[in-house]
Amino acid sequence: MKKTIIKIALMAMAAFVAPTTMNAQLSDILNAIKGSSSTASTVTDIVGNLLGSGKVSEASLKGTWEYTEPCIAFESDDVLSKIGGSVASSKIEDKFNSALTKAGIKPGNVTITFNTDKTFSMTVGKKTLSGTFDVNGSELNLTFKTTRKTVKTNVKISLGTLQIAMNADKMLEIVSTIATKASAYSSQMSAISSLLGNYKGMYLGMKFQKK
């Protein structure tokens, strides 16, 4: 089983280079193992990021997490649709990464800490923001003290990685709140939002690693 999963992962990465041929081959393999729900779930996580669907506890969030990369998350568990949208999502992810970088959000420069008293603090460079949070299943609500606005997000923790995803307008709201640089990121985010409108079930996300 592990060999099959590794083979699928390698083929999925290769699909970015030669999508037509590799996607056809990958589809054949997926069809061959379609009967195993656990394997299908693993394959889906390899091909594309899924929105969280399981329960995340406050205890599992506790601690400091460091931002590592942006991501595009999918709400659907249709593996084949993830493969079909891989090239499009990769392009959007590149644009998203560019917008975040201009806003001062880049690996090693951003951390978020969740405390046991349901407060959180987010540091971007030398800027620190704080607020409160609550989590219900896979829904994480962040209320920033400065704006008093609550942003509803989807949260998932898998293999030591924290993924926080949301629709484009909510991401723009968060980026506008935590940005350290005044730049053209706002117009870039608006353009990304328009792109996402062409692909149903795709969301913007950020990934963090536990420090």
Side-chain angles (χ1 to χ4, degrees):
M1 185 68 72
K2 289 183 179 179
K3 290 182 179 179
T4 301
I5 292 174
I6 292 172
K7 183 176 180 180
I8 293 169
L10 292 173
M11 292 182 71
M13 287 186 287
F16 285 99
V17 179
T20 302
T21 302
M22 298 305 295
N23 285 352
Q25 294 178 27
L26 185 53
S27 295
D28 290 339
I29 293 177
L30 291 174
N31 289 330
I33 60 175
K34 192 174 181 181
S36 173
S37 59
S38 60
T39 303
S41 176
T42 303
V43 171
T44 306
D45 278 330
I46 291 173
V47 176
N49 302 290
L50 284 178
L51 290 179
S53 58
K55 182 178 181 180
V56 174
S57 66
E58 292 178 11
S60 63
L61 284 172
K62 180 185 174 183
T64 299
W65 302 80
E66 185 174 76
Y67 171 72
T68 57
E69 61 182 335
C71 69
I72 301 298
F74 301 88
E75 68 178 9
S76 170
D77 61 356
D78 185 337
V79 179
L80 295 182
S81 72
K82 307 298 181 301
I83 299 171
S86 63
V87 176
S89 66
S90 179
K91 290 180 179 179
I92 294 174
E93 190 172 289
D94 287 343
K95 292 180 181 294
F96 181 36
N97 184 49
S98 176
L100 292 181
T101 300
K102 286 189 175 183
I105 301 169
K106 49 191 175 182
N109 195 48
V110 180
T111 61
I112 183 167
T113 301
F114 295 97
N115 304 307
T116 54
D117 61 356
K118 290 191 174 184
T119 61
F120 76 89
S121 60
M122 181 177 284
T123 301
V124 184
K126 296 181 179 180
K127 182 179 181 179
T128 300
L129 299 165
S130 61
T132 58
F133 76 93
D134 67 81
V135 60
N136 181 18
S138 59
E139 181 178 295
L140 172 66
N141 296 312
L142 301 173
T143 303
F144 288 88
K145 187 176 181 180
T146 52
T147 62
R148 296 185 180 181
K149 289 184 178 181
T150 298
V151 179
K152 181 169 32 174
T153 75
N154 174 273
V155 64
K156 179 176 73 173
I157 298 177
S158 177
L159 300 176
T161 297
L162 170 67
Q163 175 183 288
I164 300 177
M166 64 212 78
N167 56 35
D169 63 325
K170 292 299 181 182
M171 182 61 76
L172 176 57
E173 191 173 324
I174 282 188
V175 172
S176 297
T177 301
I178 68 178
T180 59
K181 299 178 181 179
S183 64
Y185 74 87
S186 181
S187 60
Q188 281 189 297
M189 290 293 291
S190 295
I192 292 169
S193 180
S194 297
L195 283 173
L196 286 180
N198 297 321
Y199 302 97
K200 185 178 180 180
M202 293 172 65
Y203 296 79
L204 299 177
M206 295 182 183
K207 288 189 176 183
F208 300 79
Q209 288 287 331
K210 195 72 169 285
K211 290 191 69 177

